[in-house]
Amino acid sequence: MKDQASVIRETDEEARKLARTLLRSARYAAIAVLDPNTGFPFASRVLLGTDFDGVPVILVSGLSAHTRALDADPRASLLTGEPGKGDPLAHARLTTQCRAAAVERDSAAHTRIRDRFLARHSKAKLYVDFPDFRFFRLIPESASLNGGFGRAYILDGEELIIRSPANEELAENAAEVVQDLLALEPDLARKTAIAHKARTGTRWAICGVDCAGFDVISGDLLLRHEFDTPIRSRVELYSHISNMKYSIPEI
């Protein structure tokens, strides 16, 4: 009897880029945790952000069931990827298995994560500083990408993390970097929306920059522009944006 052919494809750079984009462009996700009382999987929905190293971040209340579950067992899975027209299973989605790490409120990490999160989720300003709310970094350990029918891939968690010597510099100077990008190309957000074939009749703004790309937002719409490879310096980022602005058609 012949062995059944594996449905898992060899992971190539196209698959890695799709996986990174699905994770980093998601404003929310389904999260699955382990109920400490029953041991059963417990699924919920959370708002999603990212830290400068690409690690997904959630803001949760201590009163929620999934927060209590993460305190008891840090293992969790995230499902990201939006269905479109037609069969929902024909659209790409990513399941990321993570290990949660709470972010201390008085740490430098909390400040930068808070700023990045609110740039994506402005309404969270209403409760982000409540004493029972806190951030978790969900550090990827492995991931399963389904790029559509017949396109399944397995990724190591490390492939979803941004490794660059410029991470710390961009984290410490995030607001200044965004202003520099706008000085280089004042219409960068709108042009990025054009390049990604999004609607252009609304106002777009940059809501996050890191060494692997940048995010633009318009209301509830978020787009991720992922670089082919992470930049290694602030100067390299500016050079990339300067070159990029000539490759996007005017509309």
Side-chain angles (χ1 to χ4, degrees):
M1 183 176 179
K2 293 184 178 179
D3 292 337
Q4 185 175 359
S6 173
V7 298
I8 305 299
R9 291 189 179 188
E10 182 178 352
T11 305
D12 55 18
E13 190 52 39
E14 181 181 355
R16 292 185 188 96
K17 186 173 183 179
L18 175 58
R20 294 192 299 262
T21 302
L22 287 171
L23 186 60
R24 296 170 189 168
S25 65
R27 294 185 70 248
Y28 62 89
I31 188 170
V33 294
L34 296 174
D35 188 306
N37 296 318
T38 66
F40 273 85
F42 178 90
S44 187
R45 179 177 293 155
V46 288
L47 296 182
L48 202 63
T50 62
D51 203 349
F52 273 91
D53 59 359
V55 169
V57 171
I58 57 174
L59 174 66
V60 291
S61 167
L63 303 177
S64 67
H66 49 274
T67 303
R68 295 194 298 271
L70 291 175
D71 282 335
D73 188 327
R75 291 176 296 174
S77 286
L78 289 176
L79 175 63
T80 53
E82 288 294 300
K85 293 182 179 180
D87 189 343
L89 298 183
H91 297 274
R93 63 268 191 195
L94 180 74
T95 299
T96 307
Q97 294 179 314
C98 312
R99 196 166 290 269
V103 179
E104 296 296 330
R105 185 174 286 270
D106 59 352
S107 65
H110 185 276
T111 300
R112 71 166 185 265
I113 288 171
R114 181 185 183 278
D115 290 346
R116 284 176 63 85
F117 196 88
L118 291 180
R120 282 193 178 202
H121 304 287
S122 59
K123 293 180 181 178
K125 292 178 182 177
L126 297 173
Y127 51 82
V128 65
D129 295 323
F130 286 1
D132 63 309
F133 273 79
R134 54 189 164 134
F135 288 105
F136 280 93
R137 279 169 43 95
L138 301 180
I139 302 166
E141 295 202 347
S142 64
S144 174
L145 169 66
N146 190 319
F149 289 123
R151 297 177 60 207
Y153 307 87
I154 300 297
L155 293 89
D156 186 88
E158 186 66 22
E159 295 177 281
L160 298 174
I161 296 177
I162 301 168
R163 301 295 186 191
S164 170
N167 276 354
E168 186 173 337
E169 182 182 10
L170 260 63
E172 291 177 352
N173 302 279
E176 182 181 324
V177 169
V178 170
Q179 292 306 310
D180 287 346
L181 295 185
L182 292 176
L184 285 169
E185 177 45 75
D187 211 14
L188 180 61
R190 186 185 71 90
K191 287 186 174 184
T192 301
I194 292 171
H196 288 267
K197 298 180 173 57
R199 69 187 190 207
T200 56
T202 54
R203 182 178 178 84
W204 291 87
I206 299 174
C207 66
V209 178
D210 54 60
C211 292
F214 61 91
D215 310 311
V216 297
I217 194 168
S218 176
D220 293 332
L221 297 178
L222 179 75
L223 293 173
R224 171 75 178 177
H225 179 81
E226 187 79 7
F227 302 151
D228 290 333
T229 57
I231 59 97
R232 298 180 59 81
S233 70
R234 190 169 168 178
V235 171
E236 187 178 332
L237 171 64
Y238 297 156
S239 176
H240 182 93
I241 297 300
S242 294
N243 292 332
M244 174 186 164
K245 68 181 182 180
Y246 297 112
S247 65
I248 301 176
E250 291 281 359
I251 289 182

